[in-house]
Amino acid sequence: MQKVDTFRISLLPFCILIFSIFALMIVTYLAVSVPIFQKEGPQIYTTNIWKAAENNPDEEFYGVLAAIYGSVYTSVLAVLIALPLSIGFAVFVIDYAPQKIKEPLIVTTDIMAGLPTIIYGIWGAFVLVPMLRDYVMYPLHKHLGFIPLFSFEPAGGYSFLAAGVLLGVMVTPFASSIIREAYRMVPFTYREAAFSLGATRYEATKILLSYIKPAIIAGILLAFGRAIGETVAVSLVVGNAFNIHPSLFAPGYTISSLIANQFGNAFIYGYMVSALFAAGFFLFIIGLAVNIGSLIILKRWYSHAQRF
Amino acid sequence: MIAIETVNLCAYYGQKKVINNVNLKIPKNVVFAIMGPSGCGKSTLLRSFNRLLELNPNARVEGDVKLYGKSVYDMSPIEVRRKIGMVFQHPNPFPHMSIFDNVALGLKLNGLVKSKKELHKTVKWALRKAALWDEVKDRIHEPASALSGGQQQRLCIARTLAVKPEVLLMDEPTASLDPVAMEKIEDLINKLREEYTIVIVTHSSAQAARVSDYVAFLYLGELVEVGKTEKVFEKPKSELTKRYLMGRVG
Amino acid sequence: MPRDFKEKFFLFGIAIIAVLTILPLFHIIYSVVVEGLPVLLKGGFKFLFGTLAPPGDGLGGIGPAILGTFILTFLASLIGLPIAVMTGVYAAEYPESIFGRLARVLLTIMMEFPTILVGLFVMQILVIPMGRYSAIAGALALAIVMMPYVTVYTEEALKSIPFMYREAAFGLGLTRFKVVFRVLARMAKKGIVTGMLIGMAKVAGETAPLLFTAGGANRIYFAGVDRPVGAISLLIYNLVQQPYENYHEIAWGASLVLMLIFLAIFLPLRLSLKEVKL
């Protein structure tokens, strides 16, 4: 007869607790979202309407398309900025930085990755936004305003661009650390092989980067997940307006900034809480998909690379 | 004619001297074996010929290596490596590229072909030369990682040959292969000896005896003995070489 | 020769990129110090211990927010650390169990979870039933954010101990409980403590989970775990959105304080390690 493992049994409640919190979260999001799904169906995600009525819940209508649009827009911008920076930084640190400054460079990016996001927020709102408005947005709008990307007059500077740039700065260290680890893992023999064929350093780097492409994709996906979930820094610079506009300079909303802005007074309405939870659920699903996807890619790549 | 000559060559990793004052003359179009126990500096010596040692930031070289009388340290490392190709201990075709792309890579990098047609022709030529064409001709666009170890190693030889080098360095090319694959590589070396100068590093004296015209014995970074293979094997001048050949050293 | 040119351009470009990547941090530190230090000097001691000034009238102090950050971090650790460490031990000791196998994936997903969603969740399950914002709700939200980090670090620290020590400990006839907590946990102490500190540094600066849980209190000090409490990050978030000049100044001063607290925990920790997970 097997002895009862008291040790195991005494630890089990803690595990169960952690995972029931996780499960409870999913259940809560689904349960609270149900009323708005019953009332509006998929229109909660496909329309851009925000009609709150204090006394008559039947007149309320919520569509968070603008926030979804803004979340994707700003996060794509962030990833476009983070992609060259994080790859370039990883390559520089591993291949070219003098030995003495390697470690300080990595510590610096670790500080960036851990820095409280509200500090990015205040810097974004008071420093980055005016800077972008005066030196980037106005000149571009004035001279190239006929291009849809630059067509919106950048009144305050709070915009998709400001949020995208700020998010790009915030997620670059994170993406870079994943790419750096993968790049470091490239077996030395491939490096030798590339150079032995007469490759220049640029060409060898290109070959090695193509070898770690899956890890780069995973890093960028994870960065996208971080960007789309970021709340306070974004809500201080994105302008917080229901707006689906192609221009970089237009203000908008993201899902998380919508929640941050509207949730405080949502309780006086019949369906707003439910609508915001539905928006949160959407974010939840995107985050889950992005994370699981990138974890699978990373795991597959590492098991492949470790054969050497 | 001398293809490669080393002059008072020393190599260091940090403070540690791993090659001590080696003077070698490697004639053109022969198979030249460098043998010795593991850790004697064979691989380091080989990597000083094509300046691959420079990838290691701690490594330092003194003395000179000449390719047809011209110091490789006066040429650009890229030019050196194009003229002196290399095959490694572990087969290392780029696993994320196809068989074709692996062979085509060096050609594209160095701008050695002018048209797509020429590229295909040269890749085919190199695969033939490496005795791999018949085995892979129907699947040259499959990833290189799908090949067996021995095939991968011949692919690496093809990749090197495609760039049309004058000298071929081989760093224990059969050390990680099974006996059958090893035999194929050795046959291949025999076929290539007429057109190329081949420098092969091996820790197996038997292999050196089978494939080489000349042999050098390296021990703890020093050149102990060098000469025609049959001479060295029949009548080693040095006591150390004799003991190594009898299997008592290394 | 274009190949040569490309090479030079590449080396030059990559150096520029490296500078561009870290430049924002220096600009942020510079801005926070330049804007925040005068506030701290002008406000003096009162800035650290006093209560919030009325709109448009002086600096006052951010005392309740500073205290609130410490209280929230402390309470969150009280809730989160034991659960997280025990879970980490379980995952390390029973890697073949369903949970042990799923642990890493689930925890990594939780780590990357948008923290605003945690705040929303805690509001729904705790704030609404209680009828008010509270320190305990804020702490619970932070604890949920903190736990995955601590668990992963604990698991890794225990798994990194060579198997022979485990054999040796069992060989002495110790029970599993004693093997793990008396022998292995002590050997893995550094890793576990690191995880705890990383988790604490992380939540001390968090804002989003507190938005709808802690409530914020800037004119009274701590009133009880079931009452609203302030936090530096929350205060900055609220002040930045106000139209008053003096509130912006206070926000900068508070940012400097928060940055210093973060660096004081994080920097020594980071320098004593080879790498961190954030």
Side-chain angles (χ1 to χ4, degrees), chain C residues 179-227:
Chain C
V179 169
V180 172
F181 287 100
R182 290 282 170 79
V183 182
L184 300 183
R186 281 183 197 188
M187 294 182 69
K189 199 167 79 187
K190 190 175 173 200
I192 297 173
V193 170
T194 300
M196 290 178 172
L197 288 174
I198 295 265
M200 285 160 81
K202 181 99 194 153
V203 298
E206 276 288 345
T207 316
L210 299 176
L211 282 178
F212 310 113
T213 54
N218 299 310
R219 295 208 167 75
I220 46 160
Y221 279 92
F222 187 57
V225 289
D226 61 340
R227 299 281 159 172

Side-chain angles (χ1 to χ4, degrees), chain A residues 115-307:
Chain A
L115 196 71
T117 53
I118 187 65
I119 293 179
Y120 283 100
I122 189 173
W123 178 78
F126 290 156
V127 180
L128 182 68
V129 164
M131 210 156 70
L132 284 175
R133 183 190 58 209
D134 297 345
Y135 300 113
V136 178
M137 298 189 200
Y138 267 114
L140 281 173
H141 175 66
K142 209 171 139 197
H143 301 295
L144 300 167
F146 56 91
I147 301 172
L149 270 183
F150 308 137
S151 60
F152 198 90
E153 177 162 357
Y158 301 101
S159 56
F160 293 125
L161 179 71
V165 170
L166 187 60
L167 285 171
V169 169
M170 293 170 75
V171 299
T172 297
F174 175 65
S176 193
S177 75
I178 294 167
I179 295 170
R180 195 179 67 222
E181 275 325 298
Y183 193 62
R184 202 202 298 279
M185 293 254 314
V186 173
F188 189 66
T189 180
Y190 291 138
R191 197 171 286 258
E192 287 193 309
F195 280 106
S196 78
L197 290 172
T200 61
R201 291 198 271 189
Y202 165 67
E203 290 156 354
T205 305
K206 234 170 65 179
I207 294 166
L208 298 183
L209 284 177
S210 74
Y211 174 65
I212 65 161
K213 203 154 121 206
I216 294 177
I217 292 170
I220 289 300
L221 266 178
L222 284 170
F224 182 87
R226 282 230 164 163
I228 211 163
E230 171 49 39
T231 309
V232 288
V234 175
S235 89
L236 291 178
V237 300
V238 76
N240 297 329
F242 290 100
N243 202 356
I244 300 182
H245 197 284
S247 175
L248 288 166
F249 307 153
Y253 250 133
T254 65
I255 297 172
S256 49
S257 68
L258 173 73
I259 295 171
N261 259 283
Q262 301 285 342
F263 203 67
N265 58 12
F267 285 88
I268 53 177
Y269 304 102
Y271 286 95
M272 200 190 279
V273 172
S274 184
L276 290 172
F277 264 88
F281 185 67
F282 191 83
L283 194 58
F284 193 108
I285 297 299
I286 295 180
L288 210 62
V290 163
N291 277 305
I292 293 177
S294 48
L295 282 178
I296 291 173
I297 296 174
L298 264 187
K299 207 169 175 184
R300 205 181 286 165
W301 185 79
Y302 270 104
S303 66
H304 184 83
Q306 261 158 357
R307 281 196 319 213

Side-chain angles (χ1 to χ4, degrees), chain B residues 226-243:
Chain B
V226 60
K228 286 220 175 223
T229 303
E230 59 263 43
K231 265 195 189 156
V232 171
F233 274 82
E234 274 165 28
K235 243 195 211 148
K237 277 183 237 152
S238 143
E239 189 58 28
L240 199 59
T241 314
K242 200 183 282 172
R243 282 169 56 201

Side-chain angles (χ1 to χ4, degrees), chain C residues 124-135:
Chain C
Q124 191 66 31
I125 61 155
L126 201 62
V127 175
I128 292 177
M130 278 174 73
R132 64 168 165 253
Y133 298 121
S134 62

Side-chain angles (χ1 to χ4, degrees), chain A residues 5 8 12 19 22 25 29 91 110 114 123 127 198 200-203 226 231 235 263 267 284 291, chain C residues 3 7 11 14 21 27 90 94 97 99 106 110 112-113 116-117 120-121 123 128 237 262 270 278:
Chain A
D5 191 345
R8 185 171 191 164
L12 211 48
F19 287 93
F22 193 71
M25 240 163 114
Y29 272 90
V91 170
D110 282 347
W123 178 78
V127 180
T200 61
R201 291 198 271 189
Y202 165 67
E203 290 156 354
R226 282 230 164 163
T231 309
S235 89
F263 203 67
F267 285 88
F284 193 108
N291 277 305
Chain C
R3 209 173 168 195
E7 177 84 344
L11 291 174
I14 216 156
T21 302
H27 200 275
Y90 186 90
Y94 301 99
S97 64
F99 176 76
L106 284 168
M110 280 176 88
E112 296 302 326
F113 217 69
I116 179 87
L117 296 182
L120 216 56
F121 164 70
M123 167 140 199
I128 292 177
Y237 181 69
F262 167 74
R270 175 61 183 80
L278 286 165

Side-chain angles (χ1 to χ4, degrees), chain B residues 112-130:
Chain B
L112 296 177
V113 286
K114 291 181 185 63
S115 65
K116 253 206 156 119
K117 213 176 138 200
E118 199 186 343
L119 179 71
H120 278 265
K121 222 179 85 195
T122 316
V123 168
K124 191 174 164 184
W125 171 85
L127 284 169
R128 276 236 167 89
K129 206 88 188 145

